[in-house]
Amino acid sequence: MSDTGLPPHTFTVTRADLVRYCGASGDFNPIHWSERTATDVGLPGVIAHGMYTMALAGRALTAWAGGSDAVVEFSVRFSRPVPVPDTDEGTEVVVSGTVKEVTEDGLTKISLTATCHGEKVLSLGQAIVRKR
Amino acid sequence: MPLDPSFVGRSWPPSDPYLVGREKIREFARAIGAEDPEYHDPEAARRAGYADVVAPPTFPVVITMSSSRQIIRDPELGLDYSRVVHGDQKFAYERPVVAGDALVCQNFVDEVMQRGGHDFITTRTEVRTESGERVLTAWAKLVQRGEDK
């Protein structure tokens, strides 16, 4: 496994994924399932939970780092919403990362980004991992 | 109306313990598409060095978000939840959460500020086991968007 970074990983996100995440996370904010509510508050339509997008970044991160116990710190900024159309295809989120530093005590600092249609939806993403 | 800045530095009593169930971890892992066996199979998790099925890194939000409602729903804070979006999220881990953990949350307010017509509040939730072992800390920055003029 190369230490140059986390290669781009593409995730498909559909309305069904959001409904499942509502139930699993307990976050039933209607902007994640009701088009009417989402547009009423000025959003382009139903959007993904920020924490769903962060969870996808977490999947890419743990796969790269070797497991949940390799992650020491993990942080993101939700810079833009991820609109999820009511189609079979949904939308796509692309997660990638760049190694910034490997410290003397064996920790790797990595910067992470996630994009949707080429625009950053997660910015200032950072993780510290102890690679296995 | 701006958020009440006197909330900065406040803390709340620790929550009742949340018992992390194997099925809840499996349900969360399935919902985010995490299919690795250590999230689902106790034997595979033990072989990987965990006490039981292990939670994905963002799983703790299930516990910390509901716990921090005691702050954000406090009418004295003045937060209009219909205008709130999630700005930033951070986790710092001592170890991953595993099934069987009984976790207690304690909430703090680290920051309240106003900028560019928007209000910001950063909450910190310290998560420990019932016996006091530190497991993780979660920070959430919420943004209350300015009202349309």
Side-chain angles (χ1 to χ4, degrees):
Chain A
M1 197 179 286
S2 149
D3 260 2
T4 53
L6 200 155
H9 194 135
T10 301
F11 298 94
T12 300
V13 184
T14 66
R15 289 282 178 92
D17 293 323
L18 302 189
V19 171
R20 201 174 292 119
Y21 188 78
C22 284
S25 68
D27 182 349
F28 292 96
N29 189 326
I31 62 173
H32 305 306
W33 51 268
S34 161
E35 192 80 13
R36 175 173 54 88
T37 306
T39 52
D40 275 358
V41 298
L43 293 166
V46 164
I47 62 166
H49 304 71
M51 288 307 301
Y52 183 76
T53 308
M54 187 177 185
L56 298 180
R59 274 178 60 193
L61 179 67
T62 48
W64 179 78
S68 275
D69 59 351
V71 184
V72 177
E73 274 190 28
F74 183 22
S75 59
V76 299
R77 169 160 297 170
F78 305 105
S79 47
R80 279 177 169 276
V82 176
V84 180
D86 186 10
T87 61
D88 290 343
E89 297 76 29
T91 192
E92 283 183 348
V93 170
V94 182
V95 176
S96 59
T98 313
V99 171
K100 290 297 175 192
E101 189 186 350
V102 179
T103 64
E104 281 179 12
D105 47 359
L107 297 176
T108 303
K109 294 185 180 173
I110 183 165
S111 76
L112 295 163
T113 55
T115 60
C116 180
H117 295 298
E119 297 195 285
K120 269 190 194 181
V121 293
L122 296 183
S123 64
L124 299 177
Q126 289 196 339
I128 300 176
V129 302
R130 185 175 286 111
K131 286 193 76 170
R132 295 210 292 202
Chain B
M1 201 176 65
L3 304 180
D4 182 350
S6 76
F7 270 65
V8 177
R10 278 203 212 174
S11 62
W12 282 257
S15 65
D16 290 336
Y18 175 103
L19 183 58
V20 179
R22 220 179 245 173
E23 296 303 340
K24 190 66 196 177
I25 288 181
R26 287 172 172 153
E27 179 191 16
F28 187 88
R30 274 197 304 273
I32 67 165
E35 289 167 359
D36 309 70
E38 63 260 35
Y39 303 124
H40 300 278
D41 174 6
E43 283 308 313
R46 284 182 199 117
R47 279 197 299 275
Y50 304 107
D52 204 312
V53 295
V54 64
T58 61
F59 174 84
V61 78
V62 173
I63 307 161
T64 60
M65 191 177 276
S66 71
S67 155
S68 63
R69 281 188 190 127
Q70 73 180 148
I71 305 174
I72 61 179
R73 297 283 163 91
D74 185 330
E76 287 180 19
L77 175 63
L79 195 73
D80 172 3
Y81 203 67
S82 71
R83 288 190 287 132
V84 167
V85 293
H86 198 168
D88 296 66
Q89 180 71 35
K90 176 176 178 177
F91 298 99
Y93 309 91
E94 300 294 326
R95 64 162 175 84
V97 170
V98 292
D101 279 336
L103 299 176
V104 172
C105 295
Q106 188 169 16
N107 289 311
F108 302 82
V109 173
D110 278 4
E111 185 183 51
V112 171
M113 66 162 193
Q114 204 171 21
R115 197 179 58 209
H118 305 297
D119 289 284
F120 300 82
I121 178 168
T122 302
T123 62
R124 180 176 94 248
T125 308
E126 295 189 353
V127 183
R128 292 181 171 80
T129 62
E130 264 183 314
S131 53
E133 176 203 358
R134 296 175 70 97
V135 179
L136 67 111
T137 303
W139 291 262
K141 180 181 272 187
L142 302 179
V143 185
Q144 177 177 268
R145 293 178 294 163
E147 286 179 89
D148 294 332
K149 297 292 184 303

